[in-house]
Amino acid sequence: MTRQTTRCPDLGQWRAWLDREAGIELADAGLHLAECPACRTLVAEARSSADLTASALAVMGPAGLPAPAEVSFARQRLEASRARVPVVPALTTSTPAPAHMEKPPMPITASFSRWRVALGGLAAALLLSLALATPQGGAFASGFLGLFRSQNFTVVTVSTQDAHSSLLELGRLGTVTQSNPEASRPRSASSLSEASARVGFTLVQPDPGTLPSGMSPQAKINTLGGEDITFTFDKAKAQAYYQSIGRAGVSLPDRFNGASLIVHVPTAALLQYAAPVSDKASTGLPALVVGESTMLTVETRGNVSLDEMRSFLLSLPDLPTDTRQQLERIQDWQNTLPIPVPAEMLTSQQATLGSGQLRGQGVILSDKSNVGSGLLWQANGRVYGVAGTLSVDQLKNIANGLR
Amino acid sequence: MLSSLETAQTKVRPITRFDDLFERLYPSLFGLTWRVLDDRDETEDVLQEGFLKLASSSLLDQPDEEVAAWLRRVCLNLAFNRLRGRQRAQARLERIGRLAGESGETDPSPTVAVLRQEQQAHVRAILARLPERQRNCLLLRHSGHSYAEIATTLNVAIGSVGVLLARAERAFRDYYEEENDDPSDHSLP
C-alpha cells in the first residue's frame, strides 16, 4: 500500500494494523489514510468498536493471575484428583505423584471450596515453603539457610516469584539425593501409642473440649519416616548454570566442589480431624491438622564448615537482595529455621504458643482471606504445628489444650 | 515443623512435559476462563478438567502451540457449558451476594462492587448473544492472546483473525448500544 496503490486494505487488514499485528506497514497506512476517506471512516469505526469492547471487557478479568505457588498447588490437586487422594494444604499427606500422566482421568472432586480458598493464601505459602525445602522445587533452601537446629523460627518474607531463584533450586548447582525416598509416604497408625512408638517420642493430642462444636475427636493418624537429604555442590554444574543465565563471573571456590550439606529430616506424625458433619461446606477433607516432630538438623561434609557453606550460599548472585538481607540479619542462625512467607498472601506474627511444657516460641501464619491459619512452634526439643480452616484464636485454644 | 514435614513429604519427581505445559499455560488459561465464569472455584475446576483431558489424550506429542490452542478451546467450551447450566444472571448475582454475606466479607465500597457485578452481567449477556466464534475471538483477544494464538485456537487462518475480530467488536458494540437503551435485560440465553 503506497501512494501509487489504489487497492484499499480490507477491514481485517485494518483491524490487524490497529493492533500492530501484521499485514500493513505503518508508513504506508498513514499515506493511504491521508488520501482515502473511505478507509478513514472504516478505521475510525473499527477503532471505536475496538476501544468500546476493550473497555467493556476490561471489567471481566480476574484481579490477578495465579502466582507460581498457586499453580504449583493446582498441579498437586490435579494429581490428587487422579489418585483420589485429598490434598490438604500445608501438612498434607499426599501420595507421591506419578512421573507421567498415563492413567485415565478421574472425576473432578466437586467442591473443595474452603480449602481451595485457603490455598490462595496460607496453603500456597506453605506449599512455597515446601517448594523451598525440597530437592526438586528448590530445595533445601530452608535447610542450608540456617536450620541447623530448628530451635527457633523466624519469618522471612519472600515474593512468590522468588521461588524460582536458582539458589532455591539447588539441583542446578549440584546434586540432591534422598536417603529414603519412601519416607515421604505416610503410614497409617491405628493409635496414638503406635504412632508414638514409630516416631520415638510421646505424641500429644488436642483436648476434645477445645475442638470446634461437632468435630469428632477421632483423628486419622499418619506417620512419616525420617531421612537425610544431601546436597553436594558441583562446581562444573554450577558454572554451566551461571553461564547459561549470563553470570559467568560468579566466584565459585574450588574447595566447595564436592562439599555436602546434609539435612536430617526427623520422623513426624500427623493427626487429621474431619470437619464437623454439620458443616455443609465440608468435603471430607481435614479441617484441622496437628503435626509433631523432633528437630530438623543440618551438618556439612567436606572441607568446609557450616558457617562457610552458609556464607557461600548466601553470596550466590540470584538470591533476592531483600531475602538475603533478612537471612543475614538472623543472628542466632545456627538455631533458627527461616520460614519463607509470601507477604502478598499471608500475614505472619512471632508469638509464644502452646501451654505448660509445650509452651514455646513460634510463628502465626494467617491467610489474608481469613479462611485458614497455622501455628508453628517449638518446645522441649519438639516441633508442633496446628493448622486448619479455623481462626487463629481457635487454633491457639487447640494448641493450648495439647496433652 | 512445617518445613521439616514438608521436606519429608516431598518426593523427587522428574519434570515432565506435562508439568512444564501446566506451569506455563495455567496462568493464561486461568485469565481466559475467568472471563467467562467470574468465579475462582469454577475456573479452577474447568482448568483441572481441561488438564485431565489433556493427560488422557495423545496430544502431548503435538507442538506446544497446538496443545495450548487445544486447551484454550476445551476450557472455553467447558466454561460456557457451565455458564449455560446456571440460572439466569439475576439469580447468579443474588447467589454471589449471599455467598459474600456468608463469608463475612466486608467490601469497603459495596456500591462499587454492585456496579461492577452489574457491568459484568451486562457484558456477559452481550457476549452470550454473539455467535460462538465471534465471542471466543473477543475473549481471546481481550485476554491478551496474539492473532497467531487466536487463529490456532479457533482453527482459522491467521489472515482471517482481523476481520473476525473487527466484526465481533462491531456486533458487540451494536448490542451494547442496544442494551444501554434497555438496561434491564441482562439475562443469559
Side-chain angles (χ1 to χ4, degrees):
Chain A
M1 179 179 40
T2 67
R3 189 174 288 275
Q4 290 73 38
T5 303
T6 54
R7 184 166 168 266
C8 294
D10 65 25
L11 175 62
Q13 289 174 300
W14 279 123
R15 183 63 190 85
W17 174 74
L18 286 174
D19 276 341
R20 306 288 188 268
E21 269 280 346
I24 304 176
E25 293 299 324
L26 204 59
D28 291 349
L31 288 174
H32 184 89
L33 282 177
E35 58 187 27
C36 180
C39 280
R40 280 204 299 278
T41 303
L42 193 67
V43 169
E45 283 198 1
R47 192 194 305 270
S48 168
S49 298
D51 289 347
L52 183 142
T53 309
S55 165
L57 287 177
V59 302
M60 306 297 287
L65 295 180
E70 292 171 288
V71 176
S72 170
F73 182 73
R75 179 75 183 88
Q76 284 210 352
R77 192 167 76 88
L78 184 77
E79 290 296 343
S81 70
R82 295 180 73 246
R84 286 189 180 281
V85 174
V87 170
V88 181
L91 301 171
T92 182
T93 57
S94 62
T95 297
H100 56 95
M101 307 287 290
E102 79 288 0
K103 294 180 186 172
M106 293 289 186
I108 299 288
T109 305
S111 64
F112 268 82
S113 301
R114 297 181 68 186
W115 271 115
R116 201 174 317 149
V117 175
L119 285 179
L122 176 66
L126 295 174
L127 282 163
L128 176 64
S129 302
L130 178 152
L132 294 177
T134 61
Q136 185 187 4
F140 226 25
S142 32
F144 72 75
L145 294 177
L147 23 124
F148 308 123
R149 274 198 309 157
S150 49
Q151 291 184 352
N152 295 302
F153 302 106
T154 191
V155 166
V156 175
T157 56
V158 297
S159 158
T160 48
Q161 302 298 325
D162 296 344
H164 294 293
S165 162
S166 74
L167 183 56
L168 303 180
E169 298 186 13
L170 287 180
R172 294 172 178 173
L173 308 179
T175 57
V176 179
T177 57
Q178 286 179 278
S179 64
N180 178 19
E182 288 300 305
S184 58
R185 190 182 296 275
R187 282 179 67 202
S188 176
S190 60
S191 68
L192 202 64
S193 56
E194 181 186 338
S196 295
R198 275 192 215 156
V199 299
F201 62 93
T202 304
L203 293 167
V204 293
Q205 59 186 334
D207 175 350
T210 62
L211 298 178
S213 173
M215 179 180 278
S216 167
Q218 290 301 315
K220 181 181 167 191
I221 305 170
N222 281 305
T223 59
L224 300 164
E227 67 172 327
D228 292 344
I229 299 177
T230 303
F231 164 65
T232 304
F233 182 70
D234 181 335
K235 183 176 177 180
K237 190 173 181 181
Q239 272 177 330
Y241 169 68
Y242 282 118
Q243 196 157 11
S244 74
I245 61 168
R247 290 179 179 268
V250 175
S251 170
L252 301 169
D254 283 339
R255 66 195 183 93
F256 282 90
N257 192 33
S260 293
L261 188 71
I262 304 154
V263 179
H264 303 292
V265 179
T267 57
L270 297 176
L271 281 57
Q272 301 179 9
Y273 295 84
V277 179
S278 59
D279 185 348
K280 290 178 183 170
S282 167
T283 60
L285 299 177
L288 170 67
V289 182
V290 176
E292 304 166 50
S293 78
T294 51
M295 297 284 183
L296 186 151
T297 58
V298 176
E299 63 175 316
T300 54
R301 186 179 297 152
N303 294 324
V304 295
S305 69
L306 206 52
D307 195 5
E308 288 170 325
M309 179 68 97
R310 173 178 183 267
S311 299
F312 169 63
L313 292 170
L314 285 178
S315 73
L316 292 175
D318 49 356
L319 183 66
T321 304
D322 180 53
T323 306
R324 183 200 317 275
Q325 289 171 346
Q326 292 181 68
L327 291 166
E328 285 173 345
R329 279 199 295 269
I330 300 173
Q331 291 185 349
D332 185 20
W333 60 268
Q334 287 183 310
N335 293 310
T336 301
L337 169 61
I339 308 291
V341 170
E344 64 264 39
M345 295 179 182
L346 280 185
T347 58
S348 60
Q349 183 188 347
Q350 304 270 23
T352 303
L353 299 164
S355 66
Q357 292 200 330
L358 301 186
R359 188 168 177 80
Q361 186 264 345
V363 179
I364 300 170
L365 300 172
S366 299
D367 166 46
K368 285 190 171 174
S369 64
N370 294 324
V371 174
S373 310
L375 313 179
L376 177 65
W377 77 102
Q378 62 78 32
N380 287 332
R382 308 272 183 271
V383 182
Y384 299 93
V386 177
T389 52
L390 303 172
S391 70
V392 169
D393 284 344
Q394 282 176 303
L395 294 178
K396 278 183 175 174
N397 197 27
I398 292 165
N400 289 339
L402 286 177
R403 296 289 182 270
Chain B
M1 176 187 57
L2 297 181
S3 289
S4 58
L5 286 178
E6 288 158 355
T7 303
Q9 287 162 10
T10 303
K11 309 247 322 164
V12 179
R13 187 165 59 86
I15 298 290
T16 62
R17 177 149 191 267
F18 185 90
D19 291 326
D20 180 53
L21 287 166
F22 191 96
E23 187 175 320
R24 284 193 289 116
L25 299 178
Y26 191 93
S28 68
L29 287 167
F30 184 95
L32 178 65
T33 308
W34 176 285
R35 283 171 167 80
V36 180
L37 292 168
D38 187 32
D39 181 287
R40 172 174 287 275
D41 288 354
E42 288 199 83
T43 299
E44 289 177 354
D45 281 348
V46 162
L47 264 60
Q48 293 278 311
E49 199 171 345
F51 276 104
L52 280 174
K53 284 178 185 290
L54 174 65
S56 61
S57 76
S58 57
L59 276 164
L60 284 171
D61 297 332
Q62 301 299 311
D64 284 4
E65 58 271 25
E66 287 187 27
V67 177
W70 181 86
L71 275 169
R72 286 192 288 268
R73 280 196 297 277
V74 166
C75 287
L76 282 171
N77 284 339
L78 291 171
F80 279 108
N81 285 345
R82 279 175 178 252
L83 200 59
R84 277 190 285 272
R86 290 178 184 169
Q87 295 180 327
R88 293 266 177 201
Q90 189 56 40
R92 172 168 163 68
L93 283 175
E94 287 172 2
R95 187 171 68 86
I96 291 169
R98 279 202 308 278
L99 286 176
E102 286 167 3
S103 68
E105 290 172 10
T106 52
D107 192 318
S109 56
T111 308
V112 172
V114 168
L115 283 175
R116 184 178 172 84
Q117 285 174 0
E118 285 182 356
Q119 276 182 305
Q120 289 173 338
H122 190 188
V123 172
R124 196 165 283 115
I126 297 170
L127 288 173
R129 296 175 68 178
L130 297 177
E132 180 180 332
R133 184 172 284 187
Q134 286 192 359
R135 179 192 67 203
N136 289 348
C137 183
L138 289 183
L139 287 167
L140 287 161
R141 181 60 194 159
H142 293 283
S143 55
H145 291 284
S146 69
Y147 280 32
E149 290 169 333
I150 295 170
T152 50
T153 304
L154 301 182
N155 279 326
V156 298
I158 190 169
S160 305
V161 173
V163 72
L164 179 60
L165 181 60
R167 286 178 179 157
E169 287 168 341
R170 177 71 216 202
F172 183 93
R173 180 183 166 187
D174 288 345
Y175 286 132
Y176 187 90
E177 290 170 351
E178 180 186 316
E179 295 228 355
N180 271 354
D181 293 336
D182 180 15
S184 63
D185 181 15
H186 293 166
S187 59
L188 289 170

